[in-house]
Amino acid sequence: VTGASFVVFNGALKTSSGFLAKSSIVEDGLMVQITRETMESLRQALRDKKDFKITCGAMDAGDVKEYVDICWVENEEKTNKG
């Protein structure tokens, strides 16, 4: 689990890169590089207020994956206060 002050979603990752998505820590935030198709799905999920999961890592990495979960919550008191 990583806490971040901000999140940047970059929809310019090419499918030919061999990655499903990439996540990296930038200063005190998180940058997630995703494909254009994933960006479109993320935008729709945000409009619909639906949870969304982004699987990061190489396409051929097997079981070793990282995930970026975007979750809508009812009670904001249980979320990160920073």
Side-chain angles (χ1 to χ4, degrees):
V1 175
T2 302
S5 297
F6 64 90
V7 179
V8 174
F9 295 101
N10 178 342
L13 185 68
K14 304 286 185 214
T15 52
S16 61
S17 70
F19 286 92
L20 298 166
K22 290 181 179 179
S23 64
S24 54
I25 296 172
V26 180
E27 296 180 14
D28 60 343
L30 179 68
M31 181 171 66
V32 184
Q33 297 175 337
I34 55 179
T35 62
R36 183 173 12 133
E37 295 81 12
T38 304
M39 180 65 88
E40 290 171 9
S41 298
L42 172 59
R43 286 180 178 154
Q44 189 60 50
L46 292 172
R47 282 186 209 106
D48 296 340
K49 295 185 178 180
K50 302 274 184 184
D51 293 351
F52 193 79
K53 183 178 214 167
I54 299 170
T55 304
C56 299
M59 290 183 187
D60 59 356
D63 292 341
V64 181
K65 300 273 190 271
E66 293 178 4
Y67 301 96
V68 175
D69 289 322
I70 296 122
C71 303
W72 292 88
V73 295
E74 293 292 324
N75 185 352
E76 293 185 24
E77 293 178 12
K78 293 182 181 180
T79 60
N80 190 0
K81 294 269 184 191

